[in-house]
Amino acid sequence: MLAHEHTPVLLAEVLARTEPQPGEHVIDCTLGAGGYAEALLHATAPNGQLLGIDADSALIPRVRDRLAPFGSRVHYQHGSFATLARLAQGFPPPAVIVADLGLSSVALDDPERGFSFQADGPLDMRMDPTSGRTAADIVNQETASEIEHILHTYGEEPHARAIALAVVAARSRERIERTLQLAGIVDAVYRKILRAPAGRKLWLTRGVHPATKTFQALRIAVNDELTALSAMLPQAFDLLVPGGRLAIVSFHSLEDRIVKHSFQQLTKRCTCPPEQLTCTCARRARAEAVTRKPIQPSPEEIHSNHRSRSAKLRVLRKT
């Protein structure tokens, strides 16, 4: 069942900091398998409405079964949250907006989607499988310099240059089409750099697979995730009712940096230069931070859900 395929990260913490109330309306910007949505619908019963948005058109029909008991209280939109304001047209002003920036476990575990190097599949990585270029397009068409830039910028991969050159060399022999094909190229680069003997599984000693950062970087590039996040945050804040809460769960430093900066701008009061003794800007903060520092999963949650280990939750209240 879909309900058992996904464990919402930091769910209790999200509910405790956003405090959804009966009758309030909610937007879930990343519907996924419906874990957050289900909990929010229970909290806003009996008549709170929820708008569930997801870029992955394949997920929405599957989650409908899980949320069917809530009937007409649930509304669905297929699209990127980069266009949140358009997708939310006609929906009542929300008191809570939630976005979990992690990849849905349902999509991650499907080899045909190409997000994971754990099983062989087409090198796709599109969150919306109906449009856009794939990861295979990038690794087979871009220059070594551009591939290096993607791996360094979005994956913070320390061996970006070596991997980019290896990719270009490999594609000159045959097109790179499969996930395990690419993972093998990255593994070979690391094996050469670390002088690891053949047969040793590097991720058993390093604690992380050598291809982790490469796959993350390509996924971000394919879906233009950071641009979408930067576009979504101000739209979400504007949609909230006064007193509304915005909760973002991020999974790597680039995402968290964007969220942190956006929240700081909204909670900032005086913008006068530090050397100016008297405030003349008369700026008032538009929001207050519910979480002064990001909340991270407990050791117990990480143990039960290993994919939660890098999650960070930030929550803002509109004033």
Side-chain angles (χ1 to χ4, degrees):
M1 294 294 291
L2 184 61
H4 302 299
E5 292 177 352
H6 173 68
T7 303
V9 174
L10 292 167
L11 176 61
E13 291 80 358
V14 168
L15 294 175
R17 270 70 180 185
T18 58
E19 299 181 303
Q21 301 297 310
E24 288 187 329
H25 306 308
V26 181
I27 296 178
D28 185 345
C29 296
T30 48
L31 184 59
Y36 290 103
E38 184 177 53
L40 290 165
L41 284 161
H42 280 299
T44 57
N47 58 347
Q49 304 286 304
L50 181 136
L51 172 63
I53 298 170
D54 207 292
D56 189 344
S57 58
L59 285 178
I60 293 178
R62 300 183 68 181
V63 79
R64 283 182 185 272
D65 290 337
R66 178 175 188 170
L67 303 182
F70 300 100
S72 61
R73 293 177 56 206
V74 192
H75 311 268
Y76 301 92
Q77 282 280 19
H78 167 230
S80 168
F81 59 40
T83 60
L84 177 59
R86 178 180 63 81
L87 295 172
Q89 284 181 355
F91 186 75
V96 177
I97 297 179
V98 174
D100 173 354
L101 305 182
L103 181 66
S104 166
S105 295
V106 179
L108 181 62
D109 293 336
D110 183 356
E112 292 303 308
R113 301 298 300 276
F115 289 111
S116 174
F117 42 75
Q118 301 295 339
D120 194 35
L123 195 56
D124 194 315
M125 299 195 193
R126 292 173 298 172
M127 290 184 180
D128 181 356
T130 65
S131 64
R133 64 177 185 166
T134 67
D137 293 331
I138 292 177
V139 298
N140 286 289
Q141 296 171 5
E142 295 292 351
T143 64
S145 295
E146 179 58 24
I147 294 173
E148 177 188 4
H149 171 74
I150 289 171
L151 300 186
H152 175 74
T153 303
Y154 299 142
E156 300 177 313
E157 168 56 64
H159 304 303
R161 181 63 176 171
I163 293 171
L165 292 174
V167 165
V168 172
R171 78 188 189 195
S172 68
R173 298 186 291 272
E174 62 175 334
R175 183 174 168 85
I176 303 170
E177 295 278 8
R178 310 291 293 181
T179 54
L180 292 188
Q181 190 181 2
L182 177 60
I185 294 169
V186 178
D187 182 76
V189 170
Y190 265 81
R191 197 170 296 280
K192 182 177 181 180
I193 291 172
L194 299 177
R195 299 180 181 179
R200 179 190 296 175
K201 293 184 177 181
L202 296 179
W203 55 95
L204 294 181
T205 55
R206 297 179 65 250
V208 62
H209 194 288
T212 299
K213 292 179 181 293
T214 293
F215 272 64
Q216 172 188 291
L218 288 171
R219 191 202 79 212
I220 291 173
V222 165
N223 298 289
D224 202 11
E225 293 177 31
L226 302 184
T227 300
L229 175 60
S230 296
M232 179 270 284
L233 290 169
Q235 295 178 65
F237 184 79
D238 289 343
L239 285 172
L240 286 171
V241 298
R245 290 79 69 196
L246 172 60
I248 309 292
V249 179
S250 63
F251 286 83
H252 59 77
S253 59
L254 297 176
E255 293 172 338
D256 183 59
R257 198 174 304 154
I258 292 172
V259 177
K260 178 182 178 181
H261 178 73
S262 175
F263 282 15
Q264 285 176 337
Q265 292 300 111
L266 291 166
T267 57
K268 184 182 293 184
R269 290 185 173 86
C270 177
T271 58
C272 297
E275 63 273 13
Q276 185 173 311
L277 299 179
T278 304
C279 174
T280 57
C281 71
R283 177 187 169 97
R284 298 179 61 187
R286 301 180 62 199
E288 61 180 4
V290 175
T291 53
R292 297 295 175 183
K293 293 182 179 180
I295 296 173
Q296 296 177 271
S298 65
E300 292 76 19
E301 180 171 5
I302 294 173
H303 177 74
S304 63
N305 181 13
H306 187 60
R307 290 172 180 170
S308 71
R309 65 191 183 279
S310 60
K312 292 183 178 180
L313 167 65
R314 294 183 187 270
V315 182
L316 195 72
R317 178 181 288 106
K318 186 174 185 176
T319 56

